Amino acid sequence: MNILVINAGSSSLKYQLMDPDTGWVSAKGLCERIGIDGRLTHRIPAKGEKVSRDIPMPTHSEAISAVLDILVDERYGVIKSLDEVDAVGHRVLHGGDKFVESCIINEACKQAIRDCIPLGPLHNPANLKGIEACEKVMPGKPQVAVFDTAFHMTMPPKAYRYAIPTKYYEEDHLRRYGFHGTSHRFVSKRAIELMGKPASELKIIVCHLGNGSSLSAVADGKCQDTSMGLSPLAGLPMGTRSGDIDTCVAQFIMNKYNLSADQCLNMLNKQSGVLALSNGLSSDFRDLESAAKEGNEACQLALDKFCYETRKYIGAYAAALGGLDCLVFTAGVGENGSTNRANICKGLEFMGVKIDPERNKVRGEEALISTDDSKVKVWVIPTNEELMIAQDTAELCGK
Ligand code: AMP
């Protein structure tokens, strides 16, 4: 079975053609500069082949057409005809509180995604463009939307409500939604398998640590709390996002520097986080680590802050769950950053978290990294959001 997984951004579109049963990726790639000029980079992982082409992409439709053309291309194609694509799965950022799980795309689903645009103003319009482009280029092909927010919809009101007047919740739907839900779901599901116990007996914290970072507290296989909020700006300090700050900081900056709310939010989203703490050196954790090793104190502070805030969230979520059986690290930093993992867990021995330094050397592979006598089992589990999207799509389209 072949599922085409699409992640459409405002000027880019990522794709993977994959088998949902085995996770085998026959082709993947990226369309960039949509609406500007257009460039397609296509890879065939099994052959180690990569090809780039400049192709005019005034809209997402031309980008999707370029993807479909190369999938059946004589030289670089991996299928003979588009009939071999069984269905298309789309990553959609914001499902609001309407979507607790993935859904087949129809007019009602598209309208609901449209209704969520005020909550996801940058991503939802781009996701819709990707969906509509596929409808145009592949009419009748079954399509599924998989929402970044859906996994978090099991949170209780005490976790998702903000302590602000009720009308903002009831009329404006302002609440904690959380993001990276597809990753948190994939990884927590895998953790339950690895722990070999029923979900009802497991309290899990998932640390998705990448350029964007979030934690989730999971009990009985369901999300109980998560660190991102109405938007992905909340929670941990990230590559370029500030994470949680006192709202008065924003008010002060807007007043003193005469910034609009949008300008201030842009600064908090794009010029903050570890990038800001490293005095602009880098948002990439590898750069920060090598600079810190050479004595750059700002980079060391950025890393210390990131690990400290992550550790605080782990403590808070262990308290919220009333205990902890399993701690999981995933995404770029979580899967590869052994020093960060060790620093995050340093000081958590009191609650039964003991990392084995040898086991913790692992990079990008599934592994148990806690000691045999650690009460809490600590795992590295590589995330695979595309596979989760492909599996949901296959399931909803009746395989
Ligand atoms: P993601 O957003 O999940 O792709 O993660 C990207 C982040 O992972 C970047 O900041 C990378 O620097 C970081 N990363 C990748 N490899 C390593 C590594 N070996 N050690 C530390 N961070 C890493």
Side-chain angles (χ1 to χ4, degrees):
M1 191 173 196
N2 286 312
I3 303 291
L4 181 60
V5 177
I6 300 280
N7 183 357
S10 53
S11 67
S12 70
L13 185 148
K14 290 187 203 136
Y15 64 93
Q16 289 197 8
L17 188 67
M18 84 163 21
D19 182 329
D21 295 320
T22 61
W24 172 260
V25 178
S26 41
K28 63 192 227 180
L30 170 70
C31 298
E32 293 168 285
R33 300 175 61 84
I34 301 170
I36 305 166
D37 36 35
R39 184 164 184 79
L40 171 81
T41 306
H42 178 76
R43 291 170 200 269
I44 307 169
K47 294 188 188 162
E49 281 187 340
K50 175 181 157 187
V51 56
S52 291
R53 286 179 182 168
D54 290 326
I55 301 171
M57 297 174 186
T59 71
H60 285 68
S61 295
E62 290 78 14
I64 292 281
S65 294
V67 171
L68 299 181
D69 285 347
I70 198 128
L71 288 176
V72 296
D73 186 82
E74 251 182 43
R75 169 73 181 81
Y76 294 103
V78 290
I79 49 175
K80 290 201 172 59
S81 108
L82 292 179
D83 293 341
E84 290 177 47
V85 176
D86 297 283
V88 185
H90 292 266
R91 179 181 188 181
V92 180
L93 182 83
H94 220 305
D97 51 12
K98 294 193 169 74
F99 293 101
V100 296
E101 51 193 26
S102 305
C103 77
I104 298 232
I105 294 172
N106 52 26
E107 276 314 310
C109 169
K110 281 197 293 177
Q111 188 51 47
I113 296 173
R114 224 168 271 130
D115 292 343
C116 293
I117 288 178
L119 300 170
L122 297 179
H123 294 83
N124 273 35
N127 301 150
L128 268 173
K129 279 186 193 162
I131 291 169
E132 284 167 352
C134 285
E135 287 176 334
K136 189 168 155 200
V137 181
M138 289 180 280
K141 191 73 77 187
Q143 298 198 70
V144 165
V146 179
F147 299 91
D148 242 26
T149 47
F151 179 65
H152 304 303
M153 285 302 110
T154 48
M155 283 187 288
K158 66 184 174 196
Y160 71 68
R161 281 290 298 273
Y162 291 127
I164 58 175
T166 303
K167 71 167 184 167
Y168 298 119
Y169 169 65
E170 288 183 346
E171 289 170 30
D172 303 306
H173 310 285
L174 301 184
R175 49 161 282 179
R176 181 189 301 283
Y177 288 98
F179 299 88
H180 294 140
T182 313
S183 172
H184 285 284
R185 177 157 63 104
F186 180 86
V187 168
S188 54
K189 216 173 138 203
R190 182 67 189 139
I192 292 165
E193 285 167 12
L194 290 167
M195 292 292 286
K197 284 186 184 173
S200 58
E201 289 176 22
L202 290 171
K203 291 167 178 163
I204 303 172
I205 295 175
V206 177
C207 306
H208 176 114
L209 309 177
N211 187 37
S213 295
S214 66
L215 282 87
S216 65
V218 178
D220 195 12
K222 297 187 186 78
C223 179
Q224 307 297 322
D225 206 344
T226 191
S227 58
M228 285 179 167
L230 172 73
S231 83
L233 180 57
L236 295 175
M238 309 178 208
T240 63
R241 295 187 191 121
S242 64
D244 296 335
I245 55 162
D246 183 337
T247 319
C248 289
V249 172
Q251 182 202 31
F252 182 99
I253 292 171
M254 284 160 70
N255 286 342
K256 176 156 184 201
Y257 295 94
N258 201 20
L259 295 188
S260 67
D262 284 356
Q263 287 170 323
C264 185
L265 264 276
N266 196 48
M267 178 275 290
L268 294 173
N269 269 302
K270 302 211 169 127
Q271 295 157 27
S272 299
V274 292
L275 172 69
L277 286 176
S278 70
N279 294 330
L281 189 124
S282 181
S283 62
D284 189 301
F285 281 77
R286 284 164 293 198
D287 297 343
L288 299 177
E289 274 183 37
S290 37
K293 261 189 208 137
E294 283 163 22
N296 185 316
E297 287 177 13
C299 290
Q300 188 58 56
L301 172 66
L303 292 168
D304 288 348
K305 172 79 177 163
F306 177 76
C307 294
Y308 173 68
E309 295 296 338
T310 307
R311 192 183 316 131
K312 268 169 57 180
Y313 262 104
I314 293 171
Y317 284 176
L321 291 170
L324 185 61
D325 302 296
C326 176
L327 177 64
V328 190
F329 289 99
T330 194
V333 180
E335 289 166 29
N336 300 293
S338 48
T339 312
N340 291 307
R341 288 193 301 253
N343 286 342
I344 289 166
C345 292
K346 208 186 283 171
L348 292 181
E349 293 81 3
F350 79 96
M351 51 185 245
V353 174
K354 267 165 94 179
I355 296 276
D356 179 318
E358 268 309 304
R359 291 179 181 170
N360 186 37
K361 285 182 179 157
V362 70
R363 287 198 164 177
E365 278 172 45
E366 190 172 279
L368 182 73
I369 58 165
S370 47
T371 58
D372 289 339
D373 65 344
S374 180
K375 187 178 91 47
V376 176
K377 302 294 166 216
V378 186
W379 289 91
V380 170
I381 302 180
T383 192
N384 194 338
E385 292 162 271
E386 289 78 14
L387 180 56
M388 193 88 261
I389 294 172
Q391 288 175 346
D392 277 10
T393 305
E395 202 173 313
L396 281 169
C397 296
K399 295 226 165 183

